[in-house]
Amino acid sequence: MVLADLDGVVYTGKNAIDHAVDSLNRVAADRRMGYITNNASRTAETVAEQLSGFGLTVTADDVVTSPQAAVRLLATLVDPGARILVVGGVGLTAVLEESGYSVTRSADDGPAAVVQGFAPDVSWKDLAEASFALGKADIPWVATNQDWTIPQERGIAPGNGTLVSAVHTAVGKLPIVAGKPEKAIFEAAIDRFGATRPLFIGDRLDTDIIGANRAGLTSVLVLTGIDHAKQVLAAPENSHPDFVLADLRELHEEYPATTVTVDARGTKTFRVRDARVELAGNRVRAVAEGSSRIDLLRAGAAAVWGSGLKIYGLDVDPKLYED
Ligand SMILES: [Mg+2]
């Protein structure tokens, strides 16, 4: 089973990422392929249509959204059919109603819980109703995700985390979060697909890779989105991916082993194919750049991560991370 994030893995903006569609279709030809998205504003059907538009073989049932994960969490917190105050759009209300909950927009209806997800038309009134409901009664508050920002064509805009934070500041409470990097969304996917130790492919260390590691999935970072060599080298231990790929073609190639040797002076050499990186004290040096940038990064990451030192305590060769 292979699970993938969307933005930065499958597409950026309106365009499919090079090699992503072919490689993922190749995966889907002989094993189950699923997609995970923190975006709460769209339904699984809408996401599946968008992905099909890029040429991917995908149906709505292959898509796990943060509202689906939120509703799965909600089921552990309130009675079946309970009245839920919603902040968010159709991506959220559709899932709640399908699951038998009744949806309200008013704190006066005595909701059993508040569920909050992003939609572009969420307003101060919605945030106020959530605050009234949470201020009045000790009820659960579930957020679909805590992404601070949403990349838009014209720049960076506030994401659900920012709107959740406004309610938090007003009421002094914190929500339970369903989306990446929390485990609920991965558990929802594992449950749905009956997967045992799936592979998860993402482009962000601080959400995708941390989340996959926490949930016990095999984590794969692909460098076609947000994070690149510099972030990989500097990644804290909980966000070290199991595999690093330059692009998704490498899903179908053999992953090279990293070998480590230590000389008499204690200098360690990390080799990935013909790339070699040395770790001596706090100095990390590329001693053979080799024929592929990604192998050099893999060897460099092994050296940095294996040093036991924080990135700011290391003197790292810029060859390992320059473009
Ligand atoms: Mg992404």
Side-chain angles (χ1 to χ4, degrees):
M1 164 104 228
V2 175
L3 294 163
D5 171 51
L6 300 180
D7 205 346
V9 175
V10 177
Y11 57 78
T12 353
K14 291 188 168 63
N15 303 309
I17 288 168
D18 288 348
H19 317 296
V21 171
D22 285 353
S23 296
L24 295 172
N25 278 344
R26 253 181 92 185
V27 172
D30 55 20
R31 62 184 78 193
R32 188 78 204 254
M33 180 73 228
Y35 296 89
I36 292 188
T37 176
N38 265 8
N39 185 329
S41 65
R42 302 182 303 166
T43 62
E45 287 76 14
T46 309
V47 173
E49 273 168 34
Q50 179 204 19
L51 297 179
S52 302
F54 291 126
L56 281 174
T57 313
V58 55
T59 67
D61 194 43
D62 302 327
V63 178
V64 180
T65 67
S66 62
Q68 292 170 345
V71 168
R72 196 169 165 272
L73 268 182
L74 194 64
T76 67
L77 301 168
V78 299
D79 293 333
R83 185 173 295 137
I84 309 299
L85 187 132
V86 174
V87 178
V90 67
L92 194 46
T93 53
V95 175
L96 281 164
E97 282 166 353
E98 277 162 29
S99 310
Y101 294 103
S102 82
V103 168
T104 177
R105 297 281 180 174
S106 170
D108 293 342
D109 289 340
V114 172
V115 180
Q116 182 170 1
F118 177 79
D121 56 356
V122 167
S123 73
W124 176 85
K125 285 185 178 174
D126 297 302
L127 302 181
E129 290 300 327
S131 303
F132 299 151
L134 293 167
K136 210 181 317 190
D138 190 19
I139 55 172
W141 176 22
V142 177
T144 57
N145 65 302
Q146 198 135 266
D147 300 29
W148 299 113
T149 56
I150 300 186
Q152 298 279 291
E153 259 157 52
R154 293 165 57 211
I156 298 295
N160 198 51
T162 308
L163 299 174
V164 161
S165 183
V167 177
H168 158 72
T169 305
V171 301
K173 294 180 177 177
L174 284 170
I176 303 164
V177 180
K180 297 172 292 178
E182 301 307 322
K183 280 165 31 173
I185 196 162
F186 294 100
E187 288 168 355
I190 288 169
D191 233 33
R192 159 114 51 101
F193 302 119
T196 52
R197 202 167 166 77
L199 207 72
F200 179 71
I201 310 166
D203 70 309
R204 283 186 77 128
L205 293 157
D206 63 350
T207 53
D208 296 327
I209 304 304
I210 287 184
N213 289 348
R214 277 182 184 161
L217 281 71
T218 302
S219 56
V220 180
L221 181 78
V222 63
L223 306 180
T224 52
I226 296 278
D227 285 327
H228 293 278
K230 207 177 234 177
Q231 292 80 27
V232 171
L233 294 172
E237 194 176 353
N238 62 355
S239 61
H240 290 174
D242 294 312
F243 300 98
V244 183
L245 309 181
D247 66 53
L248 289 186
R249 276 177 299 188
E250 291 171 348
L251 268 184
H252 303 283
E253 292 168 13
E254 196 181 334
Y255 198 81
T258 303
T259 58
V260 190
T261 51
V262 190
D263 72 11
R265 288 166 303 141
T267 298
K268 286 184 177 170
T269 303
F270 296 79
R271 276 190 185 76
V272 177
R273 288 191 280 232
D274 57 356
R276 268 193 298 138
V277 174
E278 249 179 36
L279 169 69
N282 75 332
R283 283 166 56 89
V284 180
R285 287 290 170 271
V287 287
E289 289 188 50
S291 42
S292 128
R293 306 268 323 148
I294 190 74
D295 285 344
L296 183 63
L297 174 61
R298 288 161 175 158
V304 169
W305 299 348
S307 69
L309 298 169
K310 302 282 188 207
I311 190 70
Y312 47 79
L314 287 166
D315 169 10
V316 178
D317 193 336
K319 282 196 201 92
L320 295 176
Y321 56 81
E322 65 200 8
D323 293 321

